[in-house]
RNA sequence: GGGGGCGUAGUUCAGCUGGUUAGAAUACAUGCCUGUCACGCAUGGGGUCGCGAGUUCGAGCCUCGUCGCUCCCGCCA
């Protein structure tokens, strides 16, 4: 121990009574009783109560210093007259004999000792105060532990961590890049990596086999509550001579272990996790990231309509639209307003409406009025409905309709309190379509990324309808959060050229945009696959934090500004001149 | 780029149908208090009601504009 302290503020116990101790830290709280002053001294490790007596000449000095000042005190560890069971050091206190003041605190713009709801702007401007708060402090520590455990688990499975460049080339697909001007190359720019995607694939071509990296990724897109602007971290991994199942096994071990170790009392789904094909997920859950804590799901009930007697649906089904039916147990006795509210929600979303049949006390309610007894019974059988249940119906077609049905499922699940908040429910979403149709132009476009391998390879590209081709592309979803994305990569230049050709790009475009990688694939590339999970989102999930900024040390605000460091900011004319940059005013 | 919500003391908030001197808690300052642990009690300072215009005898409150924050859609291969 050095001269500042002999113990930390979380360390002393009843067994230390009668010892001399010196502690250093921040004044967390001060309770001045006039002739007796209690100081809660706080450091990274905990809080210890220190007592100043008015007989001491230190009394006036401690009275005068504000909370959050940094001091050290020394004195005898003594038994408390009344113990505090709420803190680990609550059996003892220190009778202060010496006091040193290292740094006096001004009047605080945010209060550290209480968990107040200060505005983001203030919290971010004084982030160093915000980070002193117990909750945020603990969040950051857990984040560190999760990252450390990720590293350990990957290493245990034979993976090696490598560093890939931060200054790299702008990539034409995907998110907007952050650009960095090149001083030595006037008029040219680096880009910060959106992900180490091409580098990790090049590592496979370079023979490194099992790669991982806790990788910073940069994307210049608008933020969300669960999406920090600018930068975020991924646990990025890639492996050679590997299939989709090999990646799943590694991730299920890594993420599965982390969830089990950090679940904090919640129940955790155990691997292997279920696989849900993309199209099934869109039909059943109306989402490619279904929250499986919600027991509700939908089925395609179109075949029950056409001659049902409910004319609107009958004719819409004949036009090729899809009727989705969702069985909800035990809500038949809900008032009319419950169903009307859902219907109103659908109309707000410009999605027609929500209809229902409810079996309540020997009668049926809803659109059953227009149907024969046989039809009503047929529907009841088809969905395994029982008396007291209701079936909700929506009708429509396409991706927008599917997504709406998913929001409806979430809404009903939330309103009825069906979601088990104390569990982690996982699944793999697999078999994403390789291409999709652009809603406006009708053009065929890559639906995820152009680097994944089409299922069926070249044969599928040559012989199948592009919109029917599936990719070896997968997501890992937990509680409705897309935690991970990955793919078996396309390592064959011919298939790459063909895949781009179908999307309307000729070979020169591929050579130009992905020159480094495509040329590498011409010199012996192993089949490879990988994935990456979002570290920030993983920590958010484990901590049940709805705001991503609360799991990041120094986050940017919604306008991608650092209010504490005042970034971004103007630079000198000389700096601009060196970079050959001219700022144009609007 | 589009939509919703919010903006009142350092901070968190209240403020009735538009009505006279805008309140509370906390923080801050001063005083009292020897067993508190969100210590207590008393006193005090602290306000461009985001900003600008309009309606009105009168605006924190209504209208319009504007700025800021925040959430959502777009976007995020």
């Amino acid at each position: 121990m050095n001269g500042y302290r002999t113990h930390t503020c979380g360390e002393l116990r009843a067994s230390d009574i009668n010892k001399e101790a010196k502690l250093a830290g921040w004044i967390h709280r001060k309770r001045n009783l006039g002739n007796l002053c209690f100081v809660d001294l706080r450091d990274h490790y905990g809080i210890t109560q220190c007592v100043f007596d008015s007989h001491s000449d230190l009394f006036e000095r401690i009275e005068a210093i504000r909370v959050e000042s940094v001091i050290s005190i020394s004195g005898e560890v003594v038994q408390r007259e009344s113990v505090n069971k709420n803190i680990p050091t609550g059996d003892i206190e220190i009778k202060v004999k010496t006091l040193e003041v290292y740094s006096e605190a001004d009047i605080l713009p945010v209060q550290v000792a209480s968990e107040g709801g200060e505005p983001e702007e203030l919290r971010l401007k004084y982030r160093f105060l915000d980070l002193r708060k117990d909750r945020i402090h603990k969040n950051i520590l857990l984040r560190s532990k999760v990252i450390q455990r990720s590293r350990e688990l990957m290493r245990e499975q034979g993976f090696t961590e490598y560093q890939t460049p931060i200054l790299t080339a702008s990539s034409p697909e995907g998110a907007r890049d952050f650009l960095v001007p090149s001083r030595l190359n006037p008029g040219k720019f680096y880009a910060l990596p959106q992900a180490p995607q091409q580098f990790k694939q090049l590592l496979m071509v370079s023979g490194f086999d099992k790669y991982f990296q806790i990788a910073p990724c940069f994307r210049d897109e608008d933020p969300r509550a669960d999406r920090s602007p600018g930068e975020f971290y991924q646990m990025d991994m890639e492996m050679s001579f590997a299939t989709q199942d090999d990646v799943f096994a590694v991730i299920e071990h890594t993420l599965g272990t982390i969830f089990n170790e950090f679940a904090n009392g919640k129940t955790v789904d155990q691997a292997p996790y279920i696989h849900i094909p993309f199209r099934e997920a869109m039909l059943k859950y109306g989402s490619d990231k279904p929250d499986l804590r919600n027991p509700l799901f939908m089925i395609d009930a179109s075949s029950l309509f056409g001659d049902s007697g409910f004319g609107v649906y009958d004719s819409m089904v004949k036009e090729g639209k899809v009727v989705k039916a969702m069985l909800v147990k035990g809500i038949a006795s809900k008032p009319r307003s419950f169903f009307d509210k859902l219907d109103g929600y659908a109309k707000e979303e410009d999605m027609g409406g929500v209809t229902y049949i409810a079996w309540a006390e020997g009668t049926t309610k809803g659109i059953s009025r227009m149907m024969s007894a046989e039809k009503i019974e047929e529907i009841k059988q088809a969905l395994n409905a029982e008396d007291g249940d209701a079936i909700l119906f929506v009708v429509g077609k396409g991706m927008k309709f599917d997504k709406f049905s998913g929001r409806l499922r979430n809404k009903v699940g939330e309103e009825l309190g069906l979601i088990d908040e104390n569990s982690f429910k996982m699944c793999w979403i697999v078999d994403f379509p390789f291409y999709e149709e652009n809603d406006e132009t009708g053009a065929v476009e890559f639906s995820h990324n152009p680097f994944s391998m089409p299922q069926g390879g070249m044969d599928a590209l040559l012989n199948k309808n592009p919109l029917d081709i599936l990719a070896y592309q997968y997501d890992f979803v937990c509680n409705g959060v897309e935690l991970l994305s990955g793919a078996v990569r396309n390592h064959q230049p011919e298939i790459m050229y063909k895949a781009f050709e179908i999307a309307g790009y000729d070979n020169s475009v591929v050579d130009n945009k992905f020159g480094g990688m495509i040329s590498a694939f011409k010199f012996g590339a192993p089949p490879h696959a990988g994935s990456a999970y979002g570290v920030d989102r993983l920590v958010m999930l484990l901590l049940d934090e709805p705001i991503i900024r609360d799991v990041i040390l120094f986050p940017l605000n919604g306008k991608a500004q650092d209010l504490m460091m005042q970034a971004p900011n103007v630079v000198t004319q000389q700096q601009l001149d060196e970079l050959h940059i001219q700022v144009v005013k609007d």
Side-chain angles (χ1 to χ4, degrees):
Chain A
M1 281 290 176
N2 60 28
Y4 287 112
R5 57 185 177 190
T6 57
H7 298 79
T8 70
C9 295
E11 202 175 341
L12 294 167
R13 295 290 183 276
S15 56
D16 297 303
I17 287 170
N18 296 329
K19 285 183 192 164
E20 290 290 317
K22 186 171 186 185
L23 304 182
W26 288 258
I27 299 175
H28 186 66
R29 279 207 175 88
K30 218 166 54 166
R31 292 176 294 281
N32 187 351
L33 276 63
N35 285 310
L36 192 64
C37 184
F38 296 98
V39 167
D40 288 340
L41 195 65
R42 182 195 75 237
D43 66 8
H44 180 75
Y45 307 94
I47 288 178
T48 300
Q49 176 166 286
C50 310
V51 200
F52 291 76
D53 196 287
S54 63
H55 302 311
S56 156
D57 52 1
L58 302 174
F59 195 81
E60 278 185 17
R61 285 180 64 201
I62 195 68
E63 264 190 317
I65 335 173
R66 270 188 288 267
V67 292
E68 293 305 316
S69 297
V70 176
I71 63 172
S72 76
I73 59 95
S74 70
E76 189 187 348
V77 182
V78 298
Q79 172 86 47
R80 282 206 201 184
E81 287 189 19
S82 57
V83 302
N84 182 347
K85 292 197 173 67
N86 298 322
I87 54 174
T89 62
D91 289 329
I92 56 94
E93 64 191 8
I94 294 191
K95 265 183 93 122
V96 176
K97 288 190 191 122
T98 72
L99 166 68
E100 283 174 75
V101 179
Y102 298 122
S103 173
E104 281 202 54
D106 214 333
I107 296 171
L108 298 170
V110 300
Q111 288 168 50
V112 174
S114 61
E115 188 63 54
E118 289 92 358
E120 286 289 328
E121 199 178 353
L122 213 60
R123 290 182 53 197
L124 294 180
K125 185 172 177 190
Y126 298 99
R127 187 61 167 171
F128 46 88
L129 292 178
D130 201 40
L131 287 167
R132 287 183 199 171
K133 291 188 179 192
D134 192 49
R135 186 176 62 91
I136 303 289
H137 210 83
K138 283 185 175 144
N139 285 0
I140 298 299
L141 282 173
L142 184 105
R143 179 193 173 102
S144 174
K145 285 178 191 153
V146 166
I147 290 174
Q148 184 189 338
R149 204 67 186 102
S150 293
R151 285 207 163 94
E152 286 167 2
L153 288 159
M154 293 306 286
R155 285 187 181 281
E156 283 165 17
Q157 294 177 91
F159 286 76
T160 306
E161 186 164 15
Y162 303 93
Q163 284 73 50
T164 53
I166 299 300
L167 291 176
T168 180
S170 176
S171 86
E173 299 285 326
R176 198 176 289 115
D177 283 316
F178 278 102
L179 298 177
V180 180
S182 168
R183 179 177 57 85
L184 296 175
N185 302 277
K188 292 188 173 174
F189 295 82
Y190 304 95
L192 306 182
Q194 296 180 23
Q197 183 65 34
Q198 293 192 57
F199 287 113
K200 71 173 175 179
Q201 292 193 240
L202 286 163
L203 279 172
M204 296 302 102
V205 179
S206 309
F208 283 104
D209 203 1
K210 288 182 172 179
Y211 145 95
F212 84 98
Q213 178 178 203
I214 309 295
C217 305
F218 306 88
R219 295 178 191 176
D220 188 5
E221 295 293 347
D222 289 356
R224 286 287 184 277
D226 65 348
R227 201 169 76 202
S228 194
E231 54 186 86
F232 61 98
Y233 279 81
Q234 286 191 333
M235 205 298 290
D236 191 43
M237 59 84 79
E238 196 77 12
M239 51 204 296
S240 290
F241 307 108
T243 64
Q244 179 167 300
D245 286 337
D246 295 324
V247 175
F248 284 9
V250 169
I251 292 299
E252 285 180 346
H253 180 63
T254 303
L255 278 181
T257 303
I258 286 172
F259 270 99
N260 282 331
E261 290 179 2
F262 295 99
N264 200 19
K266 293 189 179 185
T267 61
V268 182
D269 270 0
Q270 296 300 309
Y273 308 121
I274 60 166
H275 297 191
I276 306 174
F278 172 82
R279 285 193 217 281
E280 182 187 328
M282 293 311 293
L283 170 67
K284 270 181 90 171
Y285 307 108
S287 173
D288 59 357
K289 42 181 180 178
D291 186 347
L292 296 182
R293 294 175 303 173
N294 181 346
L296 300 174
F297 63 91
M298 292 164 284
I299 64 162
D300 183 345
S302 306
S303 61
L304 295 167
F305 292 86
D307 60 347
S308 73
F310 186 49
V312 185
Y313 279 20
D314 289 345
S315 57
M316 285 177 104
V317 165
K318 280 171 193 158
E319 288 166 20
K321 295 206 168 136
V322 176
V323 176
K324 287 193 182 191
M326 182 162 71
L327 174 68
V328 190
K329 304 294 288 180
I331 61 160
S333 56
K334 288 266 177 197
R336 171 81 187 256
S337 61
F338 172 82
F339 298 98
D340 284 352
K341 221 170 96 187
L342 295 175
D343 190 49
Y345 171 66
K347 290 186 163 69
E348 253 172 54
E349 299 268 315
D350 204 19
M351 280 292 156
V354 176
T355 61
Y356 66 99
I357 300 177
W359 285 265
E361 292 162 17
T363 65
T364 63
K365 299 191 290 188
I367 56 169
S368 51
R369 285 189 295 124
M370 264 99 51
M371 298 174 178
S372 65
E374 292 74 33
K375 177 53 79 175
I376 297 168
E377 191 55 28
E378 186 191 346
I379 292 173
K380 192 178 181 186
Q381 295 292 332
L383 278 110
N384 290 319
E386 295 173 335
D387 290 339
D389 298 345
I391 298 171
L392 303 178
F393 299 95
V394 287
V395 63
K397 198 177 180 0
M399 194 61 88
K400 245 179 97 179
F401 166 68
D402 278 335
K403 286 186 177 174
F404 157 72
S405 73
R407 288 197 297 277
L408 181 72
R409 171 179 175 267
N410 291 343
K411 193 177 169 67
V412 174
E414 274 164 31
E415 278 190 17
L416 296 174
L418 302 177
I419 292 159
D420 176 6
E421 303 282 350
N422 280 312
S423 63
F424 289 113
K425 300 269 190 196
M426 286 83 157
C427 65
W428 291 101
I429 306 296
V430 298
D431 299 339
F432 278 84
F434 195 73
Y435 296 105
E436 65 188 11
E437 201 168 12
N438 184 306
D439 283 341
E440 284 159 23
T441 63
V444 170
E445 297 175 344
F446 288 109
S447 66
H448 265 69
N449 81 52
F451 306 122
S452 61
M453 184 66 101
Q455 295 185 21
M458 186 60 104
D459 184 50
L461 292 181
L462 290 172
N463 299 314
K464 288 181 92 164
N465 176 346
L467 296 177
D468 290 336
I469 299 172
L470 300 176
Y472 285 115
Q473 167 91 37
Y474 37 85
D475 283 357
F476 175 84
V477 175
C478 175
N479 291 4
V481 174
E482 182 194 315
L483 253 195
L484 167 147
S485 229
V488 174
R489 318 297 174 185
N490 182 351
H491 65 283
Q492 292 179 299
E494 326 72 87
I495 299 180
M496 188 84 84
Y497 286 128
K498 185 69 193 170
F500 273 87
E501 184 193 314
I502 291 172
Y505 303 99
D506 65 32
N507 291 7
S508 66
V509 175
V510 182
D511 289 335
N512 188 26
K513 286 179 173 176
F514 309 109
M517 214 167 59
I518 204 86
S519 103
F521 287 170
K522 291 173 183 168
F523 295 95
H528 57 286
S531 69
Y533 60 77
V535 170
D536 312 84
R537 281 199 186 160
L538 174 59
V539 175
M540 273 176 89
L541 259 179
L542 292 169
L543 285 166
D544 226 352
E545 281 286 1
I547 307 290
I548 200 162
R549 289 184 291 273
D550 287 350
V551 301
I552 297 175
L553 273 172
F554 300 107
L556 302 177
N557 73 358
K559 281 214 168 146
Q561 299 161 331
D562 183 333
L563 298 174
M564 191 175 56
M565 304 299 283
Q566 295 180 45
N569 209 336
V570 293
V571 296
T572 64
Q573 189 58 47
Q574 189 193 346
Q575 286 174 295
L576 291 175
D577 290 345
E578 280 178 347
L579 295 167
H580 321 280
I581 298 272
Q582 210 174 355
V583 178
V584 181
K585 295 209 168 73
D586 299 318

